Amino acid sequence: MTPDISLATIIADTDLPCCIYNASGPRCSTEEELHAIGESVAGAILSKSATLQKREGNEKPRYADTPWGSINSMGLPNEGYEYYAAFAAQASQYDKPYFMSVSGMSLDENVKIISDLENYEGIAGIELNLSCPNVPGKPQTGYDFEQSRHTLEAVFAVTTKPLGVKLPPYFDIPHFQMMADVLNDFPIAFVTCINSVGNGLVVDPATEGVLIKPKQGFGGIGGDFVKPTALANVRQFYTLLNKNVSIIGCGGIKSGQDAFEHILCGASAVQIGTRFMQEGTPCFERIVSELTEIMQKKNYRNIEAFKGKLKDYQS
Ligand code: SIN
């Protein structure tokens, strides 16, 4: 990193040495993978979304790369929340915070997990996943505004830890306002926009079939095509949410320029999903260096210098 340029940021009242880190999902399910993120230049470590019990997830193949990104229907394979909670003790060796993603299979599960996390030190914050599109028969809570409110009432009653939410993408202007009205009634620390665009379908003309096995091929879409939707969600929630809520951009970030655009729209940090899956931890160093170069050219010394400062159309 160029010494006079800082990519540091603050999320959930915690300092991150760098605003770029992993999205919950790819390469963050095992201790080994979490250590690899710890050893990289990523500014935080975020776990795979945890459920109460270990889960095998959906049938394979359940992830495929495409020319423009990825499709997945993982189905929340994970080691169970106690595994990721215990990792907090190991994460303390790194000079970056450890966040835990939680995605209980029911409201009761979320409440049980989140209340139990009170017993663990070293978790800087909880990212409550309201948006997994891949568990058959389980709707995305974030698309049900009343259920989202109900969930937040229940989980905030049992936690003292900073808590944020990972949202699905919204596409309709009134829906942004409806979700913002729910979130603004709670002491939300951060909002991550966006999870994959749910239930897309990728067709292989050669085989005349789908690319992944679960759910007749339907799965969450990530990568290049979701970036405009991700930017729109970051911008809308940056504008509509209480000013103390940090926005974390996620969706279509594979270069320093993509990270720069997310921050311009209002992101305080950015998470890398598909590209991290494809490239592994070296992607963090590359994106850091590309973002630093852009900042150097524009004479920005830190991300606050341009965060949220997206301009209206100028002729
Ligand atoms: C999955 O495990 O199915 C992906 C998680 C998510 O999209 O929230």
Side-chain angles (χ1 to χ4, degrees):
M1 236 179 282
T2 313
D4 57 342
I5 293 184
S6 167
L7 298 192
T9 191
I10 299 175
I11 301 289
D13 288 331
T14 302
D15 290 320
L16 277 64
C18 170
C19 63
I20 297 165
Y21 63 105
N22 69 294
S24 177
R27 300 177 184 271
C28 56
S29 296
T30 65
E31 283 184 2
E32 195 186 8
E33 291 170 334
L34 293 166
H35 279 299
I37 299 167
E39 282 153 18
S40 77
V41 303
I45 307 170
L46 175 60
S47 77
K48 173 71 183 165
S49 289
T51 50
L52 192 62
Q53 310 291 346
K54 178 182 164 92
R55 278 174 61 85
E56 295 303 329
N58 294 341
E59 269 188 290
K60 295 177 182 171
R62 56 195 181 185
Y63 172 92
D65 287 319
T66 68
W68 36 261
S70 65
I71 181 166
N72 89 84
S73 182
M74 303 300 290
L76 295 173
N78 77 94
E79 298 294 325
Y81 81 100
E82 286 168 310
Y83 179 95
Y84 301 105
F87 183 78
Q90 299 183 51
S92 63
Q93 68 188 278
Y94 300 111
D95 62 346
K96 61 186 76 172
Y98 174 57
F99 291 92
M100 229 185 104
S101 171
V102 170
S103 190
M105 301 300 287
S106 65
L107 177 53
D108 284 351
E109 264 203 25
N110 277 325
V111 169
K112 160 78 176 142
I113 295 168
I114 288 171
S115 59
D116 268 18
L117 293 185
E118 290 293 288
N119 302 317
Y120 292 85
E121 300 289 323
I123 299 170
I126 298 166
E127 184 180 271
L128 177 62
N129 184 352
L130 297 180
S131 49
C132 177
N134 300 331
V135 179
K138 186 174 174 286
Q140 289 165 266
T141 306
Y143 284 138
D144 180 336
F145 303 112
E146 269 321 295
Q147 187 58 26
S148 295
R149 179 179 291 283
H150 187 47
T151 300
L152 292 173
E153 279 165 358
V155 297
F156 274 111
V158 297
T159 190
T160 59
K161 293 197 189 304
L163 188 138
V165 290
K166 185 165 184 181
L167 296 179
Y170 299 96
F171 301 94
D172 201 15
I173 296 293
H175 291 170
F176 291 114
Q177 186 66 60
M178 287 162 86
M179 194 57 181
D181 288 345
V182 172
L183 297 173
N184 278 336
D185 285 342
F186 296 92
I188 298 273
F190 59 88
V191 167
T192 304
C193 302
I194 55 172
N195 207 321
S196 58
V197 173
N199 297 297
L201 191 61
V202 180
V203 174
D204 179 352
T207 64
E208 304 181 11
V210 296
L211 291 193
I212 55 172
K213 191 159 186 189
K215 292 178 66 179
Q216 289 79 46
F218 288 79
I221 303 296
D224 296 357
F225 277 8
V226 313
K227 190 176 79 170
T229 299
L231 293 174
N233 279 258
V234 167
R235 188 66 183 164
Q236 283 284 347
F237 285 107
Y238 177 76
T239 308
L240 295 172
L241 291 180
N242 297 333
K243 285 300 156 221
N244 57 347
V245 180
S246 302
I247 312 298
I248 301 172
C250 181
I253 300 170
K254 65 176 186 189
S255 69
Q257 182 186 313
D258 299 323
F260 182 75
E261 291 172 14
H262 269 260
I263 297 166
L264 259 187
C265 288
S268 293
V270 296
Q271 298 176 352
I272 318 297
T274 294
R275 197 61 190 196
F276 176 42
M277 181 70 177
Q278 295 169 337
E279 195 177 329
T281 52
C283 77
F284 299 123
E285 197 160 345
R286 181 180 56 73
I287 296 169
V288 161
S289 126
E290 291 167 0
L291 177 57
T292 306
E293 196 178 320
I294 291 170
M295 290 169 64
Q296 199 162 21
K297 281 193 186 133
K298 289 178 175 278
N299 208 18
Y300 292 139
R301 296 281 160 249
N302 52 55
I303 69 164
E304 289 302 320
F306 60 98
K307 184 175 94 183
K309 296 192 176 161
L310 182 70
K311 294 176 187 153
D312 286 341
Y313 181 74
Q314 291 170 326
S315 54

